[in-house]
Amino acid sequence: MIKTSNRNGSSSSLQATLYYLRLKTHDDQQLFGRASDVSDAALESQATLAKIVADELRQAETHHKGVSLELWILEPDALHAIVMLQESRPSQETTGKPRLLTSFVAELKTATAKRINLMRNQPGSSVWRRSYKEQRVDDEVMLARLRRKLVESDSIVVSG
């Protein structure tokens, strides 16, 4: 059992599984900002793309019962998030990625890619790498380390 903070700052004990996710952009494209030699128009475009990801994260979270975002950041070429999964059926020891997590990520990647490609006028172009990395958060120490890493990073968006 990991003690987690709610969005309002209060803490509660939940039996849930936390995962650290990392989604990288296709070919490490810096879609979401911070390139030093870009024009004002490019910076505005990058901010718009970052807003699309933020909007779709919130939508994907509401569409998946049992999924909540603990904390997330958006870097120029990656999305990092701590995601809490609460499955309705008893947890079974399985190998591989949890189905709820996989469907959450698939919906997020599809929705963001569609909107980003519409903005860039590049329908069908790859936005995200095909796979993603996930790591189960096993204890409070690991959770604290990951939170600190995300909050202290040179990120564009921090949410919780």
Side-chain angles (χ1 to χ4, degrees), residues 43-157:
L43 285 174
E44 186 176 322
S45 173
Q46 291 171 341
T48 301
L49 299 182
K51 185 179 180 328
I52 288 171
V53 173
D55 292 344
E56 291 299 335
L57 266 171
R58 290 181 190 100
Q59 287 294 325
E61 181 181 26
T62 60
H63 289 143
H64 284 84
K65 184 178 180 183
V67 175
S68 61
L69 295 166
E70 173 77 15
L71 177 70
W72 61 271
I73 65 165
L74 192 57
E75 292 181 335
D77 65 345
L79 169 67
H80 301 265
I82 299 173
V83 178
M84 183 185 309
L85 299 183
Q86 292 180 304
E87 302 236 29
S88 57
R89 55 189 185 279
S91 178
Q92 300 171 350
E93 285 298 317
T94 59
T95 58
K97 299 176 183 185
R99 202 176 327 194
L100 184 58
L101 186 62
T102 301
S103 66
F104 172 77
V105 171
E107 181 180 315
L108 175 66
K109 287 168 74 173
T110 300
T112 55
K114 184 176 181 178
R115 287 184 60 194
I116 286 170
N117 284 334
L118 283 173
M119 287 293 304
R120 298 188 305 172
N121 198 24
Q122 298 176 355
S125 294
S126 296
V127 172
W128 301 103
R129 285 190 188 172
R130 195 172 166 157
S131 63
Y132 64 93
K133 303 283 185 190
E134 99 282 337
Q135 178 179 6
R136 186 177 171 151
V137 180
D138 292 321
D139 57 34
E140 291 285 343
V141 174
M142 184 177 188
L143 179 58
R145 182 180 55 80
L146 288 168
R147 282 179 178 156
R148 187 172 50 257
K149 174 185 170 185
L150 295 181
V151 170
E152 293 174 357
S153 72
D154 189 21
S155 61
I156 296 170
V157 178

